[in-house]
Amino acid sequence: MPEEEIEPIRWEDDRLLLLDQTILPDRQEWLTIDTVEAAIEAIREMRVRGAPAIGVAAAYAMVIAARSVEAPTMSTWLTLLDPISARIAAARPTAVNLGWAVQRSVEVARSASSPSEAHKRLLALAHKTKADDIATNRKIGRNGASLVPSNGGILTHCNTGALATAGYGTALGVIRAAWEQGKRPHVFCTETRPWLQGARLTAWELMRMGIPAELVVDSAAAWLMSRHEVNAIIVGADRIAANGDTANKIGTYSLAVLAKSHNIPFYVAAPTSTIDVGVANGDEIVIEERPPEEVTTLKGQRIAAEGIGVRNPSFDVTPAEYITAIITDQGVHKAPFERALRSAVHQTKAGIV
Ligand code: MRU
């Protein structure tokens, strides 16, 4: 890869550093996060975004939370930590990795005998969450690369690259892995209105990696499919229910329906930590609604007529029946998904690769 690897989340001098994704690709600026409030704000305002990246940032936010609490006894300390953990977990509702990372941190804190030991263990856990995420993404890439067409078109939505994770990426990581194996697919990335994760972030990552690609407006997808220019679609996930229903960036569901009607395979790539076996199906997934200004303005400039109402759901749910396969670090899972997904989660928990 010609450019340095993107590593959007760092821990340096006991502080969390986040590459501010709200201003990429115009400017590359690092935010220094040393309070819980700043960490919550960074997640809520999408300075760090993408389900796995949010999980890693939350693990470090728990380290910051741990050192912000002072109490005479361990049990009081844990009691004071609880509401802070809950606030971090509530910063955004849809990505399961956020609650997953906070819950793991809470369990680690509870297993310690003193606040200082808990602090050390939480930092070790955060570092491990980050390192595991990169290793997991490389496995997803290896598992999914064979599904990428050698010469045909592949379309991806939103940003699922290094920026959306601790590094390497999930769906974009699959494209990258295929590219590293010598495949030369024609890559399309969608703009991803309204936040433009595709135009700003995926396009930036692709150009840094030296992978030629074309940016398309979201509504161009059907036309390209009808012209046989797209041979596969690959997206990430924010939460996968036990039956395979998948919450991902708004617009994913439309792409899946279009893929089915054009007989194009539709793949979801995600780590097993994104599978929520506690949720039976997509109806139980909370969909984040974001501020209207994301739709009515562009770079601070109003583009919509004054007075118009706005609906801004940030995610949608693609029913499992539209998904050809779910690619995880444990393999490529096909329908019926439930058994395969439960087993993948179990294998990861048991440390089986
Ligand atoms: O609102 P965002 O930018 O956090 O949404 C990101 C997505 O929907 C991604 O597709 C998903 O988190 C997977 S990232 C590897």
Side-chain angles (χ1 to χ4, degrees):
M1 289 290 134
E3 299 244 18
E4 195 192 326
E5 293 284 344
I6 299 168
E7 194 194 338
I9 304 166
R10 296 182 186 171
W11 183 262
E12 280 173 23
D13 300 328
D14 257 347
R15 291 181 309 183
L16 174 61
L17 300 185
L18 298 175
L19 184 58
D20 188 348
Q21 300 194 26
T22 60
I23 52 177
L24 282 173
D26 294 349
R27 301 197 308 278
Q28 290 176 52
E29 284 179 14
W30 288 88
L31 299 164
T32 304
I33 308 287
D34 52 12
T35 66
V36 170
E37 285 321 313
I40 291 173
E41 193 269 354
I43 295 171
R44 197 182 49 232
E45 299 304 320
M46 296 168 64
R47 303 186 192 287
V48 58
R49 40 121 331 258
I54 294 171
V56 174
Y60 284 112
M62 287 297 293
V63 178
I64 298 169
R67 73 176 179 217
S68 74
V69 175
E70 279 180 36
T73 64
M74 185 61 182
S75 69
T76 318
W77 187 82
L78 284 171
T79 310
L80 293 174
L81 188 67
D82 266 354
I84 305 176
S85 316
R87 281 198 300 121
I88 296 169
R92 289 188 77 188
T94 306
V96 67
N97 306 59
L98 177 56
W100 168 84
V102 171
Q103 188 51 37
R104 281 188 356 149
S105 299
V106 166
E107 280 159 25
V108 158
R110 286 190 185 141
S111 70
S113 56
S114 68
S116 72
E117 189 198 332
H119 181 261
K120 275 192 208 122
R121 287 200 191 179
L122 285 169
L123 184 56
L125 177 67
H127 289 331
K128 181 171 162 31
T129 307
K130 178 177 165 179
D132 285 354
D133 185 58
I134 300 172
T136 295
N137 294 337
R138 289 188 178 270
K139 280 186 209 151
I140 294 171
R142 278 197 296 276
N143 290 341
S146 64
L147 302 170
V148 174
S150 293
N151 299 304
I154 186 158
L155 182 140
T156 190
H157 187 52
C158 194
N159 171 264
T160 60
L163 288 168
T165 62
Y168 201 84
T170 58
L172 196 60
V174 170
I175 294 175
R176 173 176 170 175
W179 184 268
E180 286 167 349
Q181 289 177 6
K183 288 190 171 183
R184 291 295 175 261
H186 189 100
V187 180
F188 292 105
C189 66
T190 57
E191 275 186 308
T192 320
R193 279 279 298 155
W195 216 77
L196 302 177
Q197 286 94 331
R200 297 191 302 108
L201 310 177
T202 303
W204 185 64
E205 287 199 42
L206 283 162
M207 294 306 93
R208 279 177 60 104
M209 290 189 288
I211 301 180
E214 284 181 314
L215 176 65
V216 295
V217 296
D218 300 341
S219 43
W223 175 244
L224 294 175
M225 289 184 218
S226 78
R227 306 308 294 166
H228 308 288
E229 292 192 49
V230 177
N231 302 94
I233 296 179
I234 188 158
V235 298
D238 280 78
R239 191 181 296 248
I240 302 174
N243 72 342
D245 290 355
T246 295
N248 190 50
K249 182 51 53 194
I250 192 75
T252 302
Y253 177 32
S254 345
L255 290 172
V257 173
L258 287 168
K260 191 161 199 155
S261 71
H262 290 89
N263 223 4
I264 294 167
F266 184 88
Y267 301 117
V268 170
T272 46
S273 54
T274 301
I275 302 168
D276 186 354
V277 288
V279 155
N281 59 54
D283 292 343
E284 294 174 28
I285 300 177
V286 178
I287 297 296
E288 177 181 12
E289 298 262 351
R290 293 197 55 88
E293 292 72 30
E294 289 184 354
V295 179
T296 56
T297 62
L298 208 52
K299 285 193 161 181
Q301 286 287 313
R302 180 138 191 130
I303 54 166
E306 289 292 345
I308 188 72
V310 173
R311 186 78 196 275
N312 186 17
S314 194
F315 299 93
D316 56 28
V317 175
T318 299
E321 68 199 80
Y322 291 97
I323 300 171
T324 312
I326 298 176
I327 306 156
T328 72
D329 36 306
Q330 294 291 345
V332 175
H333 317 291
K334 296 210 166 134
F337 292 112
E338 180 133 11
R339 227 175 121 175
L341 294 181
R342 284 187 186 279
S343 145
V345 169
H346 175 76
Q347 307 250 87
T348 303
K349 277 195 184 137
I352 305 163
V353 182

